[in-house]
Amino acid sequence: MTAITEGRVVIVTGAGRGLGRAHALAFAAEGAKVVVNDLGVGPDGSGTSRTPAEQVVDEIRAAGGEAVAHAGDVASAEGAASLVATALDTFGRLDTLVNNAGFLRDRMLVNLDEDDWDAVMRVHLKGHFLPLKHAAAYWRAEAKAGREPAARVVNTSSGAGLLGSVGQGNYSAAKAGIVGLTLVAAAEMARYGVQVNAIAPAARTRMTEQTFAETMAAPGEAGAFDAMAPENVSPLVVWLGATASAGVTGRVFGAEAGRITVMEGWRPGPTADKGSRWTAAEAGEAALKLLADSQPPQPVYGAG
């Protein structure tokens, strides 16, 4: 059986550790040539190092695959441009972009500094926008030249972006923004042969290791299923990044352990139309009746 991404060129950002590393290795195992991007920062975004990206490249090459490291900052115009250029210069094409890079600076809102807000919004939201912008420009040029691509983008949102998460106002806002960006990109880029989807994964990484530490397979349990291993998320990402996902775009998928969920977002619910302007009292009365007929919201992570 032919590997699902045989011959495709794939960029994975934040691929030195955690989910990104798992994605890069999974794509390579399915025949893709991988650009492994990682700035090598700490869990809070401090410091830089080429080592994480280079180590993953070494793993891929040791297994017989093809990969190249990129240690640039994808949340800068220069870094994002050089990322796409690395794929084109090394492998001659680009087929799939997986936006995954990020870090955390958790604080309750009243304690959240402006710098922590800006840093998290930058790495997650701007770090999705800029690689997508430069990849999309390449794919648009290919389509206009009569070489319409079968291109794929997989963005990384979070349950925090869909439901909210106490102590993560900056992260939740950035991840919610990624969903909006995904929907717009899917609509704008469809004419050029580009599909854009997002995942909301749950897995144990440097950012979540304390949260999911208790769900690890117990030491010595041979063959035990590690439900929170990042490798559990990667098969869906690889499929979304392959031509096999043709026709799937503008969707958000939850991925956790052995479970895949199609996330269904905002859509009109109960509605009242007076046909003229409401008074404040009337609007309140109508709103309460509509709320009584509506589905209650899912709880915010960490609330209550």
Side-chain angles (χ1 to χ4, degrees), residues 203-284:
R204 186 180 57 258
T205 67
R206 290 191 305 167
M207 294 196 299
T208 63
E209 60 187 354
Q210 296 303 314
T211 302
F212 296 128
E214 296 181 358
T215 64
M216 295 176 62
E221 290 186 30
F225 177 49
D226 185 353
M228 290 295 102
E231 290 79 7
N232 299 333
V233 176
S234 300
L236 175 62
V237 174
V238 171
W239 182 79
L240 288 170
T243 57
S245 63
V248 179
T249 194
R251 306 304 294 263
V252 180
F253 295 86
E256 176 183 352
R259 182 167 60 251
I260 296 172
T261 304
V262 176
M263 307 302 290
E264 297 183 335
W266 295 106
R267 61 185 65 207
T271 303
D273 185 353
K274 180 182 176 182
S276 60
R277 183 179 301 154
W278 304 86
T279 67
E282 289 173 336

Side-chain angles (χ1 to χ4, degrees), residues 19-237:
L19 282 167
R21 172 182 174 274
H23 300 340
L25 294 174
F27 272 108
E30 289 288 345
K33 302 172 184 178
V34 186
V35 179
V36 178
N37 162 266
D38 203 287
L39 190 56
V41 301
D44 63 350
S46 60
T48 60
S49 172
R50 289 188 60 89
T51 301
E54 291 173 345
Q55 287 178 336
V56 176
V57 168
D58 289 344
E59 286 186 73
I60 291 172
R61 290 175 177 171
E66 295 184 59
V68 63
H70 178 272
D73 178 6
V74 297
S76 71
E78 180 182 4
S82 71
L83 175 65
V84 173
T86 296
L88 301 180
D89 293 345
T90 305
F91 300 121
R93 59 185 293 134
L94 173 61
D95 301 291
T96 297
L97 167 65
V98 179
N99 283 315
N100 169 78
F103 54 74
L104 295 177
R105 292 190 184 177
D106 293 351
R107 300 282 191 281
M108 301 297 279
L109 286 172
V110 295
N111 296 321
L112 185 61
D113 293 335
E114 184 177 356
D115 288 347
D116 293 331
W117 173 274
D118 289 345
V120 168
M121 293 294 287
R122 179 183 184 275
V123 69
H124 288 281
L125 193 49
K126 194 175 181 182
H128 271 61
F129 161 63
L130 287 173
L132 174 57
K133 172 184 172 66
H134 287 279
Y138 163 71
W139 288 323
R140 181 180 63 178
E142 288 291 286
K144 288 185 174 182
R147 299 183 296 271
E148 183 171 305
R152 305 287 186 264
V153 178
V154 184
N155 291 330
T156 306
S157 183
S158 169
L162 304 177
L163 302 175
S165 180
V166 171
Q168 293 189 309
N170 49 0
Y171 179 75
S172 296
K175 289 302 192 183
I178 287 167
V179 173
L181 177 64
T182 298
L183 301 180
V184 172
E188 290 185 357
M189 298 306 298
R191 73 189 72 177
Y192 304 122
V194 183
Q195 294 182 183
V196 187
N197 294 285
I199 60 165
R204 186 180 57 258
T205 67
R206 290 191 305 167
M207 294 196 299
T208 63
E209 60 187 354
Q210 296 303 314
T211 302
F212 296 128
E214 296 181 358
T215 64
M216 295 176 62
E221 290 186 30
F225 177 49
D226 185 353
M228 290 295 102
E231 290 79 7
N232 299 333
V233 176
S234 300
L236 175 62
V237 174

